Amino acid sequence: MKKSIFILMISILSLTFCGSPVYGQVVGELQGGVPVITVDQQSLISTYNKNLLTLSGIDGQFISVSLVISTEAGIDYYLVFNGPVYKSSLPANLGSDGLSIIAIGTMSCTTSACSSEDFGCVPRGNGLSCSPCANKGTCTKTVSSDSMIESM
């Protein structure tokens, strides 16, 4: 009996201290090895525009969204929103099924200073920080307790 209680306590403690789970939304899948967005893109763009404006005061006016393969360790893809002035990226990873792509919508990196750079101002370090712009331009990190790609 004591052994069972001990094992139960160890199990609870290991679940508590093994790190927080990663929350995300399935936004795409691999089709023939190519990342493809499978959710309604206009809805995704509209929701993100609204939430980024509310959280950071950035009116991105994004008009397109794409999945881009990442070069950063710990991040498989970027969900990239593009507008006439701003570019904003969120980290996304391959799901455990090996096909679905899950965006971690609680952190993003946004810039107008280096929006033409492929990998300037994008999430890095498993989504903990933003890479700097090569031209030393401003890069804004936005963090939310809720997903920025879902209605808040």
Side-chain angles (χ1 to χ4, degrees):
M1 179 70 169
K2 287 182 183 180
K3 187 175 183 180
S4 297
I5 292 172
F6 177 74
I7 291 172
L8 178 64
M9 288 177 62
I10 294 296
S11 297
I12 291 170
L13 286 173
S14 67
L15 288 172
T16 303
F17 294 107
C18 284
S20 58
V22 174
Y23 297 103
Q25 176 184 347
V26 175
V27 294
E29 66 184 17
L30 288 181
Q31 294 179 0
V34 176
V36 176
I37 294 175
T38 56
V39 296
D40 181 271
Q41 292 184 35
Q42 289 310 309
S43 177
L44 188 64
I45 292 167
S46 175
T47 300
Y48 187 65
N49 273 321
K50 178 181 168 247
N51 290 339
L52 188 64
L53 180 60
T54 300
L55 292 166
S56 290
I58 298 172
D59 187 6
Q61 299 178 15
F62 301 112
I63 55 175
S64 68
V65 62
S66 59
L67 281 167
V68 177
I69 297 172
S70 167
T71 58
E72 183 68 31
I75 299 174
D76 299 324
Y77 301 94
Y78 297 117
L79 183 64
V80 181
F81 293 85
N82 285 293
V85 176
Y86 288 94
K87 176 175 157 182
S88 190
S89 305
L90 291 86
N93 286 314
L94 199 56
S96 60
D97 63 2
L99 291 175
S100 60
I101 298 173
I102 302 166
I104 294 82
T106 56
M107 185 267 193
S108 69
C109 301
T110 306
T111 189
S112 62
C114 62
S115 57
S116 62
E117 293 179 22
D118 286 336
F119 296 106
C121 192
V122 293
R124 68 177 183 183
N126 210 7
L128 299 177
S129 63
C130 297
S131 64
C133 292
N135 65 7
K136 310 271 191 246
T138 301
C139 179
T140 302
K141 177 181 172 183
T142 303
V143 178
S144 174
S145 58
D146 295 317
S147 174
M148 292 182 274
I149 56 174
E150 296 180 43
S151 294
M152 292 184 175

